[in-house]
Amino acid sequence: MKIAMTMSLVVTLLAPFASHADALSEDRVKELVLEAIRENPEIVLEAVQIIERREQERQAAAAASVLSENRDLLENDPNAPVLGNPEGDVTVVEFFDYNCPYCRRVKPHIEALLDEDPNVRLVYREWPILGDGSVFAARAALAAREQGKYEEFHWALMGMQGRAEEASVIQVAQEIGLDIAQLRRDMQAPEIDAHIAASMEMSRALGFNGTPSFVIGDALVPGVIEADQMIRLTQEARAAGQ
């Protein structure tokens, strides 16, 4: 498909030259295009770059539209955990998975941001995409809200060694004093299904392909970012009134 798009774009690029000819046939235009490519092969590279740039611009515009239409739900969903300052004037949203090594790597940078800026609201979107263990961990973390221990459980899971699987998640839950029987019951709540489903839908709509992914103001940031960049983006969002 990309080859066809490239040829089409090359034809477009060469159109001004072909327009000087009288009633060129389609076959003749193709011949001219091929001749031009043979003489100037960099035309193909330029065409591919233009296609990729246009696609990136299209995706960015689509994501910006989705963000604009869904900002209130994204930042103020009552079914999403909020850390930091619940009344803060800037909201950072993170989509994450407990089995994502990059999410674990970003943990100290998140903590540094919260220490540096007491007016940041940190909204967590549990987005378990790395297997059944991730799903179990996400459900358990969300269920821990009923015992007032989401934040403690979250940081403990992010700091654990090895993969998050049912046995290791339950062990961490026991270590921080969660009632395991209640936790298992609360994990079946429809609110948990709703949170995870919303995370899946919003992440796809925003064009995110993996964890961690952040929304800070109008900035959509996939991948690991360090504290300095987080602080700069939150300052920019605050200055823009977002």
Side-chain angles (χ1 to χ4, degrees):
M1 182 177 180
K2 180 173 284 190
I3 293 175
M5 293 174 64
T6 301
M7 290 295 293
S8 175
L9 187 52
V10 170
V11 170
T12 300
L13 292 172
L14 294 174
F17 303 100
S19 64
H20 294 290
D22 292 328
L24 286 173
S25 68
E26 183 178 349
D27 289 342
R28 180 55 181 153
V29 170
K30 289 179 180 179
E31 288 176 5
L32 288 172
V33 169
L34 291 173
E35 288 176 9
I37 290 174
R38 292 190 188 100
E39 295 174 4
N40 303 281
E42 66 274 9
I43 291 176
V44 175
L45 178 59
E46 180 183 354
V48 170
Q49 291 172 338
I50 291 173
I51 290 171
E52 291 177 345
R53 185 168 64 250
R54 288 179 179 176
E55 178 62 16
Q56 291 169 356
E57 291 171 352
R58 185 195 67 77
Q59 292 178 353
S65 177
V66 170
L67 178 57
S68 176
E69 294 172 1
N70 295 277
R71 185 182 294 279
D72 186 58
L73 175 62
L74 187 66
E75 296 184 349
N76 300 302
D77 182 0
N79 194 25
V82 177
L83 276 60
N85 182 352
E87 305 301 323
D89 60 353
V90 173
T91 299
V92 174
V93 182
E94 181 187 2
F95 291 78
F96 72 96
D97 183 306
Y98 287 110
N99 278 319
C100 166
Y102 304 105
C103 298
R104 294 183 183 185
R105 187 186 303 175
V106 87
K107 172 179 177 285
H109 298 288
I110 291 284
E111 292 172 318
L113 170 66
L114 297 179
D115 288 341
E116 173 71 20
D117 193 332
N119 285 314
V120 168
R121 296 175 68 246
L122 176 60
V123 175
Y124 271 133
R125 297 299 324 185
E126 302 269 355
W127 187 22
I129 56 176
L130 297 176
D132 292 342
S134 296
V135 174
F136 188 90
R139 298 188 73 90
L142 291 168
R145 294 179 294 181
E146 296 300 317
Q147 299 182 53
K149 286 183 172 287
Y150 177 86
E151 182 170 0
E152 183 179 0
F153 196 23
H154 169 80
W155 293 126
L157 289 173
M158 275 297 174
M160 68 185 296
Q161 299 297 315
R163 279 187 59 83
E165 303 288 355
E166 180 172 351
S168 57
V169 169
I170 292 300
Q171 180 180 344
V172 172
Q174 290 172 328
E175 291 172 353
I176 68 167
L178 281 164
D179 181 318
I180 303 303
Q182 180 185 345
L183 184 72
R184 288 188 179 276
R185 288 194 301 271
D186 293 337
M187 286 173 64
Q188 307 310 313
E191 293 81 6
I192 292 178
D193 294 325
H195 175 96
I196 294 174
S199 294
M200 297 289 184
E201 182 178 351
M202 284 191 284
S203 60
R204 283 194 298 267
L206 291 169
F208 292 144
N209 296 314
T211 55
S213 291
F214 297 87
V215 179
I216 307 176
D218 284 336
L220 303 175
V221 189
V224 174
I225 53 175
E226 297 186 352
D228 289 348
Q229 185 179 0
M230 291 184 193
I231 292 169
R232 176 178 59 80
L233 289 172
T234 56
Q235 290 173 343
E236 290 175 358
R238 180 176 287 120
Q242 297 166 339

